């Protein structure tokens, strides 16, 4: 009986050590990481060199209060033979003499804030610093300080189409209408 007990004990001990040494070595597994939200990557916005040069010229002339230079860039095409302007939301807008630009710029410190890229011959720049004189054709309804100046390509040349005056909040949203890509203006 002793022998049998001793044999059972040896087999039991041998089985424990045998099973411990025969256990498989853990193999590292590769777990794929999954992001719940994608990381945004900045998208480069290509700006046409001719368009950018035109925008810079307009912004420089506005800042310098050079009404004659700005008036020389007006469209003067079909119905658009004067200075086209309007208040955001007031309909088709108005046409007046380009000489009004001198009055507008004399009281303003205009600077360009942001611009849209050229979109099939159309672009725009958001401006601030308009301080139009009381009683001017624009201020009969409101005292705007911001405007979107829109451009169109006519006959292969960039021209100023019109001004849309309004509050900064509304115009910052409105400039995104034709394109979601709006970039800061850098002088």
């Amino acid at each position: 009986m002793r022998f049998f007990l001793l044999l059972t004990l040896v087999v039991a001990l041998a089985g424990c050590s045998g099973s411990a040494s025969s256990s498989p070595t853990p193999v590292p597994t590769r777990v794929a990481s999954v992001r719940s939200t994608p990381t945004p990557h900045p998208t480069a916005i290509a700006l046409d060199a001719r368009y950018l040069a035109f925008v810079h010229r307009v912004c420089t002339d506005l800042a310098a209060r050079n009404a004659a230079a700005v008036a020389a860039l007006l469209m003067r095409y079909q119905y658009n033979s004067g200075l086209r302007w309007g208040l955001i939301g007031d309909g088709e807008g108005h046409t007046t003499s380009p000489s009004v630009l001198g009055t507008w710029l004399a009281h303003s410190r205009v600077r360009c804030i942001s611009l849209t890229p050229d979109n099939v011959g159309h672009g725009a720049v958001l401006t601030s610093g308009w301080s139009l004189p009381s009683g001017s054709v624009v201020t009969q309804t409101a005292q705007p300080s911001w405007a979107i100046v829109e451009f169109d390509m006519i006959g292969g040349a960039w021209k100023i189409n019109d001004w849309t005056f309004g509050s900064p909040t509304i115009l910052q949203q409105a400039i995104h209408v034709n394109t979601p890509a709006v970039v800061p203006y850098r002088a």
Side-chain angles (χ1 to χ4, degrees):
M1 176 88 150
R2 252 172 134 192
F3 175 72
F4 182 27
L5 234 31
L6 187 59
L7 184 62
T8 306
L9 185 62
V10 171
V11 170
L13 287 176
C16 286
S17 66
S19 69
S21 64
S22 68
S23 70
T25 306
V27 176
T29 57
R30 187 173 225 170
V31 178
S33 65
V34 176
R35 290 189 174 140
S36 59
T37 57
T39 304
H41 297 288
T43 304
I45 297 172
L47 296 173
D48 177 70
R50 282 185 52 200
Y51 172 70
L52 196 54
F54 176 79
V55 171
H56 181 67
R57 178 178 174 194
V58 169
C59 291
T60 300
D61 289 340
L62 288 172
R65 300 178 181 160
N66 190 344
V70 174
L73 299 173
L74 291 174
M75 189 173 284
R76 290 179 176 78
Y77 177 74
Q78 292 180 356
Y79 74 93
N80 200 351
S81 60
L83 181 118
R84 294 279 307 156
W85 64 272
L87 296 171
I88 193 147
D90 76 348
E92 293 181 24
H94 312 279
T95 301
T96 191
S97 169
S99 64
V100 171
L101 272 171
T103 307
W104 289 356
L105 291 175
H107 297 86
S108 301
R109 291 182 163 264
V110 178
R111 69 184 189 96
C112 293
I113 305 296
S114 57
L115 68 134
T116 66
D118 165 21
N119 185 4
V120 192
H122 181 78
V125 65
L126 179 64
T127 60
S128 70
W130 293 93
S131 179
L132 304 180
S134 177
S136 77
V137 289
V138 175
T139 59
Q140 291 172 2
T141 311
Q143 182 65 29
S145 63
W146 287 53
I148 293 175
V149 183
E150 293 189 59
F151 316 118
D152 287 311
M153 172 129 353
I154 300 294
W158 283 102
K159 296 291 183 179
I160 297 173
N161 187 344
D162 58 42
W163 278 258
T164 302
F165 293 96
S167 73
T169 306
I170 292 171
L171 292 180
Q172 286 173 337
Q173 294 171 1
I175 198 166
H176 290 274
V177 169
N178 289 330
T179 177
V182 175
V183 297
Y185 173 75
R186 307 265 189 246

